[in-house]
Coordinates of all heavy atoms in Angstrom, one line a residue:
Chain Y
G537 N 19.9 -82.9 -44.2 CA 19.8 -84.0 -45.1 C 21.1 -84.3 -45.9 O 22.1 -83.6 -45.7
L538 N 20.9 -85.2 -46.8 CA 22.1 -85.6 -47.7 C 22.1 -84.8 -48.9 O 21.1 -84.6 -49.6 CB 21.9 -87.1 -48.0 CG 21.9 -88.1 -46.8 CD1 21.4 -89.4 -47.1 CD2 23.3 -88.2 -46.2
D539 N 23.3 -84.5 -49.4 CA 23.5 -83.8 -50.6 C 24.6 -84.4 -51.4 O 25.7 -84.6 -50.9 CB 23.9 -82.3 -50.4 CG 22.8 -81.5 -49.9 OD1 21.7 -81.5 -50.5 OD2 22.9 -80.7 -48.9
W540 N 24.3 -84.8 -52.7 CA 25.3 -85.4 -53.5 C 26.3 -84.3 -54.0 O 25.8 -83.1 -54.2 CB 24.6 -86.0 -54.8 CG 25.6 -86.3 -55.8 CD1 26.5 -87.4 -55.8 CD2 25.9 -85.6 -57.0 NE1 27.3 -87.4 -57.0 CE2 26.9 -86.3 -57.7 CE3 25.4 -84.4 -57.5 CZ2 27.5 -85.8 -58.9 CZ3 26.0 -84.0 -58.8 CH2 27.0 -84.7 -59.4
V541 N 27.6 -84.6 -54.0 CA 28.6 -83.5 -54.2 C 29.3 -83.8 -55.6 O 29.4 -82.8 -56.4 CB 29.7 -83.5 -53.1 CG1 30.8 -82.6 -53.5 CG2 29.0 -83.1 -51.8
A542 N 29.8 -85.0 -55.8 CA 30.6 -85.2 -57.0 C 30.7 -86.7 -57.3 O 30.5 -87.5 -56.4 CB 32.0 -84.6 -56.8
Y543 N 30.9 -87.0 -58.6 CA 31.1 -88.3 -59.1 C 32.3 -88.4 -60.0 O 32.5 -87.5 -60.8 CB 29.8 -88.7 -59.8 CG 29.9 -90.0 -60.6 CD1 30.0 -91.2 -59.9 CD2 29.9 -90.1 -62.0 CE1 30.1 -92.4 -60.6 CE2 30.0 -91.3 -62.7 CZ 30.1 -92.4 -62.0 OH 30.2 -93.6 -62.7
I544 N 33.0 -89.6 -59.9 CA 34.0 -89.9 -60.9 C 33.8 -91.3 -61.4 O 33.6 -92.2 -60.6 CB 35.4 -89.7 -60.3 CG1 36.5 -89.9 -61.3 CG2 35.6 -90.6 -59.1 CD1 37.9 -89.4 -60.9
S545 N 33.8 -91.5 -62.7 CA 33.6 -92.8 -63.3 C 34.8 -93.6 -63.2 O 35.9 -93.1 -62.8 CB 33.1 -92.6 -64.7 OG 34.2 -92.1 -65.5
S546 N 34.7 -94.9 -63.6 CA 35.8 -95.8 -63.6 C 36.9 -95.3 -64.6 O 38.1 -95.6 -64.4 CB 35.4 -97.2 -63.9 OG 34.7 -97.2 -65.1
S547 N 36.5 -94.5 -65.6 CA 37.4 -94.0 -66.6 C 37.8 -92.6 -66.3 O 38.3 -91.9 -67.2 CB 36.8 -94.1 -68.0 OG 35.5 -93.5 -68.0
S548 N 37.4 -92.1 -65.1 CA 37.8 -90.8 -64.6 C 37.1 -89.6 -65.1 O 37.5 -88.4 -65.0 CB 39.4 -90.6 -64.7 OG 40.0 -91.5 -63.8
G549 N 35.9 -89.8 -65.8 CA 35.0 -88.7 -66.1 C 34.4 -88.2 -64.8 O 34.2 -89.0 -63.9
T550 N 34.2 -86.9 -64.8 CA 33.7 -86.3 -63.5 C 32.4 -85.4 -63.7 O 32.2 -84.9 -64.8 CB 34.8 -85.4 -62.9 OG1 35.1 -84.3 -63.8 CG2 36.0 -86.2 -62.5
V551 N 31.6 -85.4 -62.7 CA 30.4 -84.6 -62.6 C 30.3 -83.9 -61.3 O 30.7 -84.6 -60.3 CB 29.1 -85.4 -62.9 CG1 27.9 -84.5 -63.1 CG2 29.3 -86.3 -64.1
Y552 N 29.9 -82.7 -61.2 CA 29.8 -82.0 -59.9 C 28.4 -81.4 -59.7 O 27.7 -81.0 -60.6 CB 30.8 -80.8 -59.9 CG 32.2 -81.3 -60.0 CD1 32.9 -81.4 -61.2 CD2 32.9 -81.7 -58.8 CE1 34.2 -81.9 -61.3 CE2 34.3 -82.1 -58.9 CZ 34.9 -82.2 -60.1 OH 36.2 -82.7 -60.2
A553 N 28.0 -81.2 -58.4 CA 26.9 -80.5 -58.1 C 27.2 -79.0 -58.3 O 28.3 -78.5 -58.1 CB 26.5 -80.7 -56.6
D554 N 26.2 -78.2 -58.7 CA 26.4 -76.8 -58.9 C 27.0 -76.0 -57.8 O 27.8 -75.1 -58.0 CB 25.0 -76.1 -59.3 CG 24.5 -76.5 -60.7 OD1 25.3 -77.1 -61.5 OD2 23.3 -76.3 -60.9
A555 N 26.7 -76.4 -56.5 CA 27.1 -75.7 -55.4 C 28.7 -75.8 -55.2 O 29.2 -75.0 -54.4 CB 26.4 -76.2 -54.1
V556 N 29.3 -76.8 -55.8 CA 30.7 -77.0 -55.6 C 31.5 -76.9 -56.8 O 32.8 -76.9 -56.8 CB 31.0 -78.3 -54.9 CG1 30.2 -78.5 -53.6 CG2 30.8 -79.5 -55.8
K557 N 30.8 -76.8 -58.0 CA 31.6 -76.7 -59.2 C 32.6 -75.5 -59.2 O 32.3 -74.5 -58.7 CB 30.5 -76.5 -60.4 CG 30.9 -77.0 -61.7 CD 29.7 -76.9 -62.7 CE 28.6 -77.8 -62.3 NZ 27.5 -77.8 -63.3
E558 N 33.7 -75.7 -59.8 CA 34.8 -74.7 -59.8 C 35.5 -74.6 -58.5 O 36.6 -73.9 -58.5 CB 34.3 -73.3 -60.2 CG 33.4 -73.2 -61.4 CD 34.1 -73.7 -62.7 OE1 35.3 -73.7 -62.7 OE2 33.4 -74.1 -63.6
R559 N 35.1 -75.2 -57.4 CA 35.8 -75.1 -56.1 C 36.3 -76.5 -55.7 O 37.3 -76.5 -55.0 CB 34.9 -74.5 -55.1 CG 34.4 -73.1 -55.3 CD 33.7 -72.5 -54.0 NE 32.5 -73.3 -53.6 CZ 32.4 -73.9 -52.4 NH1 33.3 -73.7 -51.5 NH2 31.3 -74.6 -52.2
F560 N 35.6 -77.5 -56.0 CA 36.0 -78.9 -55.5 C 36.4 -79.7 -56.7 O 35.9 -79.5 -57.9 CB 34.8 -79.6 -54.9 CG 34.3 -79.1 -53.6 CD1 34.9 -77.9 -53.0 CD2 33.4 -79.7 -52.8 CE1 34.5 -77.4 -51.8 CE2 32.9 -79.3 -51.6 CZ 33.5 -78.1 -51.1
T561 N 37.4 -80.6 -56.5 CA 37.9 -81.5 -57.6 C 37.9 -82.9 -57.1 O 38.6 -83.2 -56.0 CB 39.3 -81.1 -58.0 OG1 39.2 -79.7 -58.5 CG2 39.7 -82.0 -59.2
I562 N 37.2 -83.8 -57.7 CA 37.3 -85.2 -57.4 C 38.3 -85.9 -58.3 O 38.4 -85.5 -59.5 CB 35.8 -85.9 -57.6 CG1 35.8 -87.3 -57.0 CG2 35.4 -85.8 -59.0 CD1 34.4 -87.9 -57.0
S563 N 39.0 -86.8 -57.7 CA 40.0 -87.6 -58.5 C 40.2 -88.9 -57.9 O 39.7 -89.2 -56.8 CB 41.4 -86.8 -58.5 OG 41.9 -86.6 -57.2
R564 N 41.0 -89.8 -58.5 CA 41.2 -91.1 -58.0 C 42.6 -91.6 -58.4 O 43.1 -91.2 -59.5 CB 40.1 -92.1 -58.6 CG 40.1 -92.3 -60.1 CD 38.9 -93.0 -60.5 NE 38.8 -94.3 -59.9 CZ 37.6 -95.0 -59.8 NH1 36.5 -94.5 -60.2 NH2 37.6 -96.2 -59.2
D565 N 43.1 -92.5 -57.6 CA 44.4 -93.1 -57.9 C 44.1 -94.7 -57.8 O 44.1 -95.2 -56.7 CB 45.5 -92.7 -56.9 CG 46.8 -93.3 -57.2 OD1 46.9 -94.3 -57.9 OD2 47.8 -92.7 -56.8
N566 N 43.9 -95.3 -58.9 CA 43.6 -96.7 -58.9 C 44.7 -97.6 -58.4 O 44.5 -98.6 -57.8 CB 43.2 -97.2 -60.3 CG 41.8 -96.6 -60.7 OD1 41.0 -96.2 -59.9 ND2 41.6 -96.5 -62.0
A567 N 45.9 -97.1 -58.5 CA 47.1 -97.9 -58.0 C 47.1 -97.9 -56.5 O 47.5 -98.9 -55.9 CB 48.4 -97.3 -58.5
K568 N 46.5 -96.9 -55.9 CA 46.5 -96.8 -54.4 C 45.1 -97.1 -53.9 O 44.9 -97.0 -52.7 CB 46.9 -95.4 -54.0 CG 48.3 -95.1 -54.3 CD 48.7 -93.7 -53.7 CE 50.2 -93.4 -54.0 NZ 50.6 -92.1 -53.4
N569 N 44.1 -97.5 -54.8 CA 42.8 -97.8 -54.4 C 42.2 -96.6 -53.5 O 41.6 -96.9 -52.5 CB 42.7 -99.1 -53.6 CG 42.9 -100.3 -54.4 OD1 42.7 -100.2 -55.7 ND2 43.3 -101.4 -53.8
T570 N 42.4 -95.4 -54.0 CA 42.1 -94.2 -53.2 C 41.3 -93.2 -54.0 O 41.7 -92.9 -55.1 CB 43.3 -93.6 -52.5 OG1 44.0 -94.6 -51.7 CG2 42.9 -92.4 -51.6
L571 N 40.3 -92.7 -53.4 CA 39.5 -91.6 -54.0 C 39.8 -90.3 -53.2 O 40.1 -90.4 -52.0 CB 38.0 -91.9 -53.8 CG 36.9 -90.9 -54.2 CD1 36.9 -90.8 -55.7 CD2 35.6 -91.2 -53.6
Y572 N 39.8 -89.2 -53.9 CA 40.1 -87.9 -53.3 C 39.0 -86.9 -53.6 O 38.3 -87.0 -54.6 CB 41.5 -87.4 -53.9 CG 42.6 -88.3 -53.7 CD1 43.1 -89.1 -54.7 CD2 43.3 -88.4 -52.4 CE1 44.2 -89.9 -54.5 CE2 44.3 -89.2 -52.2 CZ 44.8 -90.0 -53.3 OH 45.9 -90.8 -53.1
L573 N 39.0 -85.9 -52.7 CA 38.2 -84.7 -53.0 C 39.0 -83.5 -52.5 O 39.3 -83.3 -51.3 CB 36.8 -84.7 -52.2 CG 35.9 -83.6 -52.6 CD1 35.4 -83.7 -54.0 CD2 34.7 -83.5 -51.6
Q574 N 39.4 -82.6 -53.4 CA 40.1 -81.4 -53.1 C 39.1 -80.3 -52.9 O 38.3 -80.0 -53.9 CB 41.1 -81.0 -54.3 CG 41.8 -79.7 -54.1 CD 42.8 -79.8 -53.0 OE1 43.6 -80.7 -52.8 NE2 42.8 -78.7 -52.1
L575 N 39.1 -79.7 -51.8 CA 38.1 -78.6 -51.4 C 38.9 -77.3 -51.4 O 39.8 -77.1 -50.5 CB 37.5 -78.9 -50.1 CG 36.5 -80.1 -49.9 CD1 37.3 -81.4 -49.9 CD2 35.7 -80.0 -48.7
N576 N 38.6 -76.4 -52.3 CA 39.2 -75.1 -52.3 C 38.2 -74.0 -52.0 O 37.0 -74.2 -52.1 CB 39.8 -74.8 -53.7 CG 41.0 -75.8 -54.0 OD1 41.6 -76.3 -53.1 ND2 41.2 -76.0 -55.3
S577 N 38.7 -72.8 -51.7 CA 37.8 -71.6 -51.4 C 36.7 -72.0 -50.5 O 35.5 -71.7 -50.8 CB 37.3 -71.1 -52.8 OG 38.4 -70.8 -53.6
L578 N 37.0 -72.6 -49.4 CA 35.9 -73.2 -48.5 C 35.1 -72.1 -47.9 O 35.6 -71.0 -47.6 CB 36.5 -74.1 -47.5 CG 36.9 -75.5 -48.0 CD1 37.9 -76.1 -47.0 CD2 35.6 -76.3 -48.1
K579 N 33.8 -72.4 -47.8 CA 32.8 -71.5 -47.2 C 32.2 -72.1 -45.9 O 32.2 -73.4 -45.8 CB 31.7 -71.2 -48.2 CG 32.2 -70.7 -49.5 CD 31.0 -70.5 -50.5 CE 31.5 -70.1 -51.9 NZ 30.3 -70.0 -52.8
S580 N 31.6 -71.3 -45.1 CA 31.0 -71.9 -43.9 C 29.9 -72.9 -44.2 O 29.7 -73.9 -43.5 CB 30.4 -70.8 -43.0 OG 29.4 -70.1 -43.8
E581 N 29.2 -72.7 -45.3 CA 28.2 -73.6 -45.8 C 28.7 -75.0 -46.3 O 27.9 -75.9 -46.6 CB 27.2 -73.0 -46.8 CG 27.9 -72.4 -48.0 CD 28.1 -70.9 -47.9 OE1 28.5 -70.4 -46.8 OE2 27.9 -70.2 -48.9
D582 N 30.0 -75.1 -46.4 CA 30.6 -76.4 -46.7 C 30.8 -77.3 -45.5 O 31.2 -78.4 -45.6 CB 32.0 -76.2 -47.4 CG 31.8 -75.5 -48.8 OD1 30.9 -75.8 -49.5 OD2 32.7 -74.6 -49.1
T583 N 30.6 -76.7 -44.3 CA 30.7 -77.5 -43.1 C 29.7 -78.7 -43.1 O 28.5 -78.5 -43.3 CB 30.4 -76.6 -41.9 OG1 31.4 -75.6 -41.7 CG2 30.3 -77.5 -40.6
A584 N 30.3 -79.9 -43.0 CA 29.4 -81.1 -43.2 C 30.3 -82.4 -42.9 O 31.5 -82.3 -42.8 CB 28.9 -81.2 -44.6
I585 N 29.6 -83.5 -42.7 CA 30.2 -84.8 -42.8 C 30.3 -85.1 -44.3 O 29.3 -85.0 -45.0 CB 29.4 -85.8 -42.0 CG1 29.4 -85.5 -40.6 CG2 30.0 -87.2 -42.3 CD1 28.4 -86.4 -39.8
Y586 N 31.5 -85.5 -44.7 CA 31.6 -85.9 -46.1 C 31.8 -87.5 -46.2 O 32.7 -88.0 -45.5 CB 32.9 -85.3 -46.7 CG 32.6 -83.8 -47.0 CD1 32.5 -82.9 -46.0 CD2 32.4 -83.4 -48.3 CE1 32.3 -81.5 -46.3 CE2 32.2 -82.0 -48.6 CZ 32.1 -81.1 -47.6 OH 31.8 -79.8 -47.9
Y587 N 30.9 -88.1 -47.0 CA 31.0 -89.5 -47.2 C 31.4 -89.8 -48.6 O 31.0 -89.2 -49.5 CB 29.5 -90.1 -47.0 CG 28.9 -90.0 -45.7 CD1 27.9 -89.0 -45.5 CD2 29.1 -90.9 -44.7 CE1 27.3 -88.9 -44.2 CE2 28.5 -90.8 -43.5 CZ 27.6 -89.8 -43.3 OH 26.9 -89.7 -42.0
C588 N 32.3 -90.9 -48.7 CA 32.5 -91.4 -50.0 C 31.6 -92.7 -50.1 O 31.2 -93.3 -49.2 CB 34.0 -91.9 -50.2 SG 34.6 -93.2 -49.2
A589 N 31.2 -92.9 -51.4 CA 30.2 -94.0 -51.6 C 30.5 -94.6 -53.0 O 31.0 -93.9 -53.9 CB 28.8 -93.5 -51.6
R590 N 30.3 -95.9 -53.1 CA 30.5 -96.6 -54.3 C 29.3 -96.6 -55.2 O 28.1 -96.8 -54.7 CB 30.9 -98.1 -54.0 CG 31.4 -98.8 -55.2 CD 31.8 -100.3 -54.9 NE 30.6 -101.1 -54.8 CZ 30.7 -102.4 -54.7 NH1 31.8 -103.0 -54.7 NH2 29.6 -103.2 -54.6
R591 N 29.4 -96.3 -56.5 CA 28.3 -96.5 -57.4 C 28.1 -98.0 -57.6 O 29.0 -98.7 -58.0 CB 28.7 -95.9 -58.8 CG 27.6 -96.0 -59.8 CD 28.1 -95.4 -61.2 NE 27.0 -95.5 -62.2 CZ 26.8 -96.5 -63.0 NH1 27.5 -97.6 -62.9 NH2 25.9 -96.5 -63.9
A592 N 26.8 -98.4 -57.4 CA 26.5 -99.8 -57.6 C 26.6 -100.2 -59.1 O 26.5 -99.4 -60.0 CB 25.0 -100.0 -57.1

Side-chain angles (χ1 to χ4, degrees):
Chain Y
L538 298 163
D539 287 312
W540 170 78
V541 173
Y543 170 70
I544 186 166
S545 70
S546 57
S547 56
S548 294
T550 59
V551 188
Y552 297 92
D554 288 344
V556 306
K557 209 173 291 186
E558 310 298 338
R559 297 191 300 123
F560 291 6
T561 303
I562 188 171
S563 61
R564 64 191 300 157
D565 184 336
N566 290 336
K568 295 183 177 180
N569 289 341
T570 302
L571 174 72
Y572 301 102
L573 186 67
Q574 177 70 45
L575 295 71
N576 295 334
S577 304
L578 281 161
K579 308 175 182 179
S580 58
E581 52 262 43
D582 296 319
T583 294
I585 296 170
Y586 285 74
Y587 296 99
C588 65
R590 191 180 79 167
R591 179 185 182 274

